[in-house]
Amino acid sequence: MAVDLYELVSEKYDMALFIEEHSGAPSYQEKLRGLQGRYCAVRRSCADGSCFYRGLGFAFLESLVGEPQELLRFRERMTQSRHRLLAAGVPEHAFSRPYDTFLSLVDVAESDVSECNLLRAFNHPEVSDRAVQYLRLVTSAFLRSRGDFYQPFIEEDKRIEEYCAQNVEPMSAVCDHIQITAVTQALAIPLLVEYVDSMDSAVNQHIFLEGSSPCVYMLYKQNHYTLLYK
């Protein structure tokens, strides 16, 4: 395992080893063993508040390596997201560098025969953080554009604009269910999340983009997301 070599997004490693790492939490370990029949490997994302966005960005582009038509469709969705950012009132100078950086990562995925170069790029702090910033801005713009729908789900009596400014856009803000719903819809990313809760006896799962076939899989526990691989 070479997790230490990649501090932001780790190399993929065996599910059995991941389970072994949690020997101090027997109940959690037992739930992970229940997942072992469906997943063979994991990939960690740095626990810095942006683990979901960083993991999602990497894993989705990884899933497009060797899929030129899907990469072309995603480029089109990126163009649409740029228009959505402008329509939401985000100044172009505030998103141009994150947008261009994410577009350059699409180029990497397009030219890669494996995930090696993409993994290297996502472990470059400046590149990786700009990619995260782009995804956060896309999420914020999507929520703002559908404020009437999402407002009832916002807690603490925050207006949607306040929620986005405090809970979505800051790099250290932990992603929640509302944000996952928004970003997966905005960029059409089919995602399955396995939720492990200390209060539940079983692992619960949720598919975002209902009715779709997931191309990204994640494990959630205590505000942290880990990538799963079949």
Side-chain angles (χ1 to χ4, degrees):
M1 181 180 68
V3 174
D4 292 336
L5 298 178
Y6 297 94
E7 294 183 353
L8 296 177
V9 180
S10 81
E11 290 189 302
K12 198 188 310 184
Y13 66 101
D14 194 86
M15 184 73 173
L17 182 55
F18 179 69
I19 294 171
E20 186 182 318
E21 290 174 352
H22 296 86
S23 58
S27 61
Y28 179 49
Q29 222 179 16
E30 190 62 30
K31 292 172 186 176
L32 291 179
R33 287 194 184 98
L35 294 176
Q36 203 169 7
R38 300 200 296 275
Y39 304 100
C40 63
V42 303
R43 196 190 294 274
R44 291 185 180 275
S45 184
C46 180
D48 59 357
S50 286
C51 57
F52 171 80
Y53 286 105
R54 203 181 311 275
L56 182 73
F58 173 82
F60 180 61
L61 290 179
E62 180 187 26
S63 76
L64 299 184
V65 171
E67 302 288 344
Q69 291 303 314
E70 292 301 322
L71 280 162
L72 182 61
R73 293 188 187 98
F74 182 62
R75 283 185 184 276
E76 294 171 354
R77 296 201 293 276
M78 281 197 66
T79 300
Q80 293 168 4
S81 76
R82 183 180 180 278
H83 296 322
R84 190 178 290 122
L85 286 165
L86 290 170
V90 182
E92 188 164 7
H93 68 80
F95 70 80
S96 60
R97 294 186 75 182
Y99 175 86
D100 290 343
T101 296
F102 208 95
L103 201 57
S104 73
L105 291 169
V106 177
D107 292 337
V108 172
E110 199 166 40
S111 61
D112 237 353
V113 294
S114 70
E115 80 281 3
C116 295
N117 291 329
L118 190 65
L119 182 61
R120 192 175 298 114
F122 264 88
N123 278 284
H124 186 290
E126 187 176 3
V127 171
S128 197
D129 284 352
R130 283 182 184 165
V132 169
Q133 188 180 11
Y134 163 74
L135 292 174
R136 286 184 177 278
L137 288 171
V138 166
T139 306
S140 177
F142 190 87
L143 289 168
R144 291 171 189 266
S145 68
R146 290 160 175 76
D148 289 344
F149 175 80
Y150 284 103
Q151 184 62 60
F153 302 101
I154 305 298
E155 297 178 354
E156 301 176 7
D157 296 324
K158 290 181 180 178
R159 297 300 303 161
I160 193 75
E161 295 79 9
E162 185 182 6
Y163 168 78
C164 289
Q166 295 179 6
N167 298 76
V168 182
E169 295 168 15
M171 291 292 285
S172 61
V174 176
C175 185
D176 59 19
H177 190 94
I178 295 172
Q179 294 174 50
I180 299 177
T181 301
V183 70
T184 52
Q185 288 185 9
L187 295 174
I189 300 177
L191 166 71
L192 186 151
V193 179
E194 304 274 8
Y195 289 92
V196 176
D197 191 307
S198 59
M199 301 299 292
D200 294 330
S201 58
V203 177
N204 298 307
Q205 62 177 220
H206 187 92
I207 295 177
F208 294 85
L209 290 187
E210 189 175 348
S212 65
S213 298
C215 64
V216 177
Y217 301 85
M218 287 186 175
L219 172 68
Y220 172 83
K221 178 181 180 288
Q222 294 180 342
N223 290 333
H224 186 68
Y225 293 85
T226 300
L227 292 172
L228 295 168
Y229 290 86
K230 287 183 171 292

